[in-house]
Amino acid sequence: MELRERVAALMPRAKKDLAELVAFRSVADARQFPPEECEKAAQWVLDAFAQVGFGGLRLVETADGSKAVYGERPGPPGAKTVLLYAHYDVQPPLDEDAWNSPVWELTERDGRWYGRGAADCKGNILMHLTALRALGDDVPVGLKLIVEGSEEQGTGGLEDFVPKNADLLRADAILVCDTGGAAVGRPALTVSLRGLANVVVSVEALSSEMHSGMFGGAAPDALAALIHMLSSLRDAQGNTTVDGLDNTQTWSGAPYPAGQFAADAHVLNGETPLGDGTVSDMLWARPALTVLGIDCPPVVGSASAIQPHARARLNLRVPPGMDAVRAQDALIAHLEAAAPWGVHVTVEREASGQPFLAETGGPAYTALRGAMKDAYGVESVSLGQGGSIPLCNVFRDTYPDAEIILMGVEEPLTLMHAPNESVDPHEIARMALTEALFLQRY
């Protein structure tokens, strides 16, 4: 039986296994879900990889308290080594009422499989397993495995673990399987990741709420001041305008057609993509500021009063070539300078992570591109990713000679991190075939 046929025959098992894995509510935050859910998911992963020839399997505790699954499968003498990466933790479900099927129950609808983590990143775990099941004993390289348990929380457990255990995870090629293609059926390698720089800005204007009729117009309004400050971070075209940050860089890889982006991003009719660059420029080559949340009175229950304080949580995405810490410094300085009316402003630093740009000229990339073409029947493209995976920089710093390849099943329709996350099973099959062909040829 040819490799493609073996993968196809394994897809019912992949669906069954993914259903079991999705059922674990493995959000790595004990404030939201029991830690036992992550522990059960980790044990499931360990047991599954034991069945495809991995030895030395164990749960390794990381600095943030999460457990990563480690294992290895030695290759022939002198063979190259490939490290397989994924994560079993997931984002919280957000508004469960917005889901059209149960969050923790894999549900097939219109040819896609729905459930939290179906794509990000449990679908990639099944991609690994399906590839290895299809290959059987025919794996001419050594394999190592690391599946972490706190990637979505950004608490850095594995980032701390890797340099302290460098020999354990050392490999010639590292498959970071937490991204995806340009669209269903259109394979891609992610070669660029934006970094991030988060802050929380607080504004204090008065010591108490004051009657808007008696004092409004002369007394400073903290919420209005915050709105004024936030408005300075975008221009009329929607470009991010943080003083000191270049917002003119361009993307040289594959384009992201505006029409496709509008559909993928669920843009409302009549709206156009932001900025004066291409969609690809705005997503992958330029800084992007998002207001993640604001603390202020809700509409229902609000009073006729001037707000004495308000705050907002801001997320700044940072493109390759821009230092994330300096970008965070620039954002803080901009906010402080933009504060009107003498209001008191404090800015709290949150997470920051450096952007990543892959080196793509080595033999692993050559083999992977060929495998993708054979699996999909079309050439792969190079894409950027707006999301941040700080671990990639840790891998690069710890293993400067390793080729780091970002790929996976997470094409734009997956709605990862949002309600109604799903995966296209054809992407699991095609990416499993891609991985299997790569491991045969590398």
Side-chain angles (χ1 to χ4, degrees):
M1 185 183 295
E2 292 187 2
L3 201 53
R4 186 183 298 273
E5 294 171 340
R6 287 185 222 152
V7 169
L10 286 163
M11 288 306 294
R13 182 176 181 183
K15 182 180 182 182
K16 173 181 174 294
D17 283 353
L18 186 57
E20 292 180 5
L21 197 49
V22 164
F24 298 118
R25 299 176 296 162
S26 51
V27 177
D29 185 349
R31 299 170 300 179
Q32 301 183 64
F33 290 93
E36 292 80 10
E37 294 291 309
C38 283
E39 294 170 9
K40 292 175 183 177
Q43 188 63 48
W44 189 99
V45 172
L46 187 150
D47 294 341
F49 280 90
Q51 295 172 14
V52 290
F54 277 76
L57 283 157
R58 58 190 184 273
L59 301 179
V60 293
E61 186 159 351
T62 67
D64 63 9
S66 66
K67 293 182 172 65
V69 181
Y70 173 79
E72 57 190 34
R73 180 174 164 173
K80 293 182 178 180
T81 300
V82 177
L83 174 63
L84 307 179
Y85 166 89
H87 62 86
Y88 63 80
D89 69 303
V90 299
Q91 285 281 329
L94 301 178
D95 181 7
E96 294 199 30
D97 291 336
W99 287 73
N100 297 324
S101 54
V103 173
W104 309 107
E105 180 180 320
L106 195 70
T107 303
E108 184 168 359
R109 189 168 65 251
D110 299 325
R112 297 183 68 92
W113 298 345
Y114 287 79
R116 176 55 93 219
D120 181 19
C121 183
K122 294 175 179 180
N124 288 310
I125 294 173
L126 265 296
M127 178 192 76
H128 288 319
L129 288 168
T130 303
L132 294 170
R133 288 166 179 165
L135 287 170
D137 295 331
D138 184 19
V139 184
V141 297
L143 296 174
K144 294 182 179 180
L145 174 76
I146 193 73
V147 181
E148 71 169 310
S150 60
E151 193 274 343
E152 298 292 7
Q153 292 300 313
T155 45
L158 196 60
E159 288 96 309
D160 174 80
F161 181 86
V162 169
K164 293 178 179 177
N165 299 272
D167 288 339
L168 192 69
L169 300 176
R170 193 176 305 280
D172 299 289
I174 302 173
L175 301 187
V176 179
C177 295
D178 194 14
T179 63
V184 174
R186 292 180 55 200
L189 295 170
T190 300
V191 300
S192 167
L193 296 171
R194 285 194 297 199
L196 63 84
N198 285 4
V199 303
V200 174
V201 54
S202 300
V203 177
E204 300 287 338
L206 303 168
S207 61
S208 173
E209 287 88 350
M210 301 300 295
H211 192 293
S212 62
M214 296 179 65
F215 299 98
D221 181 330
L223 182 54
L226 177 61
I227 292 169
H228 176 88
M229 294 160 62
L230 298 181
S231 71
S232 72
L233 298 170
R234 295 269 190 175
D235 65 17
Q237 289 75 42
N239 297 294
T240 292
T241 52
V242 176
D243 292 340
L245 299 188
D246 180 11
N247 65 355
T248 63
Q249 296 183 89
T250 58
W251 173 253
S252 60
Y256 197 157
Q260 180 187 337
F261 172 78
D264 293 343
H266 293 229
V267 174
L268 298 178
N269 290 337
E271 296 181 341
T272 57
L274 300 182
D276 57 16
T278 67
V279 170
S280 299
D281 295 338
M282 302 305 296
L283 292 179
W284 306 324
R286 300 182 181 182
L289 192 287
T290 300
V291 181
L292 300 180
I294 296 180
D295 286 342
C296 61
V299 171
V300 177
S302 57
S304 298
I306 305 168
Q307 295 308 308
H309 48 77
R311 67 175 185 163
R313 184 170 183 239
L314 309 181
N315 167 240
L316 181 64
R317 297 288 176 170
V318 180
M322 188 175 291
D323 183 83
V325 175
R326 292 180 182 176
Q328 193 175 49
D329 291 341
L331 176 58
I332 292 171
H334 179 111
L335 291 166
E336 292 173 343
W341 318 320
V343 296
H344 296 178
V345 173
T346 56
V347 185
E348 174 189 353
R349 294 177 188 268
E350 286 195 331
S352 66
Q354 295 295 350
F356 172 80
L357 188 64
E359 298 288 340
T360 62
Y365 269 91
T366 299
L368 206 288
R369 288 192 184 98
M372 275 189 167
K373 181 178 181 181
D374 290 345
Y376 280 82
V378 296
E379 295 281 358
S380 62
V381 297
S382 295
L383 296 181
Q385 171 68 262
S388 302
I389 307 178
L391 182 63
C392 289
N393 285 306
V394 176
F395 279 145
R396 181 176 59 190
D397 293 343
T398 308
Y399 311 114
D401 296 327
E403 293 185 68
I404 302 169
I405 300 174
L406 291 98
M407 63 184 209
V409 303
E410 301 165 16
E411 42 77 28
L413 295 182
T414 59
L415 293 181
M416 56 184 184
H417 293 202
N420 297 303
E421 178 182 352
S422 68
V423 67
D424 188 312
H426 297 97
E427 288 300 294
I428 295 179
R430 283 186 285 245
M431 285 305 300
L433 179 57
T434 295
E435 182 173 323
L437 290 170
F438 168 75
L439 294 176
Q440 278 187 334
R441 299 171 181 176
Y442 177 52

